[in-house]
Amino acid sequence: MSFITKEKFLSKDWFVTYAYILLGSFLFAVGDVLFVNPYKLAPGGVYGIGNFLYHTFGFKISLSVLFMEIPLLIVGTIILGPRFGIKTLISTFLIMGFAYMFETHWWGYEAFLPNDPMLNALVAGIIYGVAIGLIFKSRATSGGSDIISMILNKYTRMSLGKLVIIVDGSITLLTLFMPSESGIDWTLPIYSWLIIFIEGKIIDMVIDGLKVNKTLFIISDKSEEIQSKILNNLKRGGTVFAAKGMYEGVERTVIYTTITRRESTILLNHIAKIDPTAFVNVIDSSQIHGEGFKAIDSESEGH
């Protein structure tokens, strides 16, 4: 963990970072205790397991999570090294603290949106997504099943993204074993998977924003005219490099440029007029750093 100077401690970025952690942790607890737990849902993570233990054995969610998070953090540190900075620890214990307050003093386990499981799942996914997105923006993690996935990633050849889906998706199946008068209820894991899907989309929106830039690769016999439109009309730059076609071996000029969504529409209209036969590959680019776009944030997780 890096040393925090007085200037760093009092900086605007420091306050914003920990405001993200505080708000994200609060919202996560709200989502779990008020929306997810009352409907017996378990959308992954240690809180999904905590919800299962509450409905099966009556254990408090916050206490169940406490007895899971601490061993996971210790084992994760031993196996993976000191990856978990102070912000992750603060987030982990803030969520547990807020969850304890909600379930013990402020709310209990009553549904905030009673008798409407679909609307509840939609709102829960949004709340979870905003909460985790804010925590991620602070350069912290939510711990829990993420640590399990990272450990499995170390000893398998599977990607971390796939492992997270497998681990969280498996946890949702615990809902099938919750006590129920009607026996096995497949709507519970389905609603849980819906929450995970919505949560992932909202996390991306919180971290990257609604604005999606476009990266274009353009191959045209009239590349100079297209370059002129990029430079003079859009006031953007780009990179030009030579390439050889695989089929005929003909030398071609490739234009590589990254612009906004609106600018890409304008440029495609220009290209359609200049060279309707041009080859254009348009790619969504959610994170673009550098001049004309977002500055690179060099803050490390250990701060």
Side-chain angles (χ1 to χ4, degrees), residues 80 83-84 145-154 160:
L80 303 171
R83 294 188 182 184
F84 313 110
S145 60
D146 292 346
I147 300 175
I148 299 174
S149 301
M150 284 187 274
I151 293 173
L152 292 174
N153 173 255
K154 181 174 181 177
L160 185 59

Side-chain angles (χ1 to χ4, degrees), residues 7-301:
E7 289 77 12
K8 180 70 177 180
F9 182 83
L10 296 176
S11 69
K12 177 183 176 182
D13 290 342
W14 187 92
F15 283 107
V16 170
T17 294
Y18 284 91
Y20 282 157
I21 294 176
L22 182 64
L23 180 57
S25 301
F26 176 81
L27 289 175
F28 190 98
V30 168
D32 187 74
V33 179
L34 277 66
F35 292 89
V36 173
N37 181 268
Y39 280 94
K40 298 184 177 181
L41 304 179
V46 292
Y47 281 86
I49 300 175
N51 291 338
F52 168 76
L53 294 175
Y54 168 76
H55 288 288
T56 306
F57 303 106
F59 299 156
K60 278 187 177 293
I61 302 170
S62 54
L63 295 180
S64 297
V65 170
L66 176 66
F67 286 108
M68 287 185 283
E69 286 280 21
I70 292 178
L72 281 173
L73 288 169
I74 294 173
V75 172
T77 300
I78 293 172
I79 296 177
L80 303 171
R83 294 188 182 184
F84 313 110
I86 186 65
K87 288 185 287 189
T88 292
L89 294 176
I90 290 174
S91 173
T92 298
F93 286 97
L94 273 177
I95 295 173
M96 283 189 282
F98 283 129
Y100 178 80
M101 292 298 295
F102 274 119
E103 63 185 350
T104 305
H105 301 292
W106 293 350
W107 193 266
Y109 298 102
E110 297 296 324
F112 188 82
L113 297 173
N115 306 317
D116 197 336
M118 176 59 78
L119 178 60
N120 179 84
L122 294 174
V123 174
I126 294 172
I127 293 175
Y128 263 4
V130 172
I132 297 175
L134 290 173
I135 292 171
F136 284 174
K137 278 179 75 72
S138 73
R139 301 296 181 88
T141 67
S142 55
S145 60
D146 292 346
I147 300 175
I148 299 174
S149 301
M150 284 187 274
I151 293 173
L152 292 174
N153 173 255
K154 181 174 181 177
Y155 296 106
T156 67
R157 295 185 178 181
M158 297 183 67
S159 70
L160 185 59
K162 289 181 180 178
L163 287 169
V164 169
I165 293 173
I166 291 172
V167 171
D168 283 345
S170 299
I171 291 172
T172 64
L173 296 177
L174 290 174
T175 57
L176 296 175
F177 303 99
M178 289 183 182
S180 174
E181 296 179 359
S182 59
I184 294 177
D185 186 356
W186 277 99
T187 62
L188 298 180
I190 291 173
Y191 280 131
S192 298
W193 288 326
L194 177 62
I195 292 173
I196 292 174
F197 175 79
I198 297 172
E199 171 191 323
K201 297 297 182 181
I202 298 297
I203 288 172
D204 289 341
M205 290 173 59
V206 172
I207 294 175
D208 300 323
L210 294 173
K211 183 178 180 181
V212 177
N213 296 300
K214 301 288 185 178
T215 295
L216 284 73
F217 289 89
I218 307 164
I219 302 175
S220 170
D221 292 331
K222 299 181 179 179
S223 61
E224 291 186 359
E225 293 181 51
I226 296 173
Q227 291 177 54
S228 177
K229 292 295 182 182
I230 296 172
L231 293 171
N232 300 320
N233 290 57
L234 301 181
K235 306 299 181 182
R236 288 288 188 177
T239 301
V240 177
F241 54 90
K244 182 183 290 187
M246 292 179 62
Y247 184 67
E248 297 180 343
V250 177
E251 291 283 348
R252 298 276 189 176
T253 297
V254 179
I255 302 171
Y256 164 78
T257 185
T258 299
I259 53 183
T260 66
R261 189 200 306 267
R262 175 179 173 276
E263 290 168 343
S264 71
T265 302
I266 296 172
L267 180 58
L268 287 172
N269 287 333
H270 286 312
I271 294 174
K273 296 175 183 177
I274 295 171
D275 183 8
T277 63
F279 176 85
V280 184
N281 183 18
V282 182
I283 305 170
D284 286 340
S285 301
S286 60
Q287 289 194 40
I288 302 296
H289 300 277
E291 185 176 353
F293 295 94
K294 186 166 61 175
I296 299 175
D297 185 0
S298 61
E299 181 186 9
S300 63
E301 203 283 330

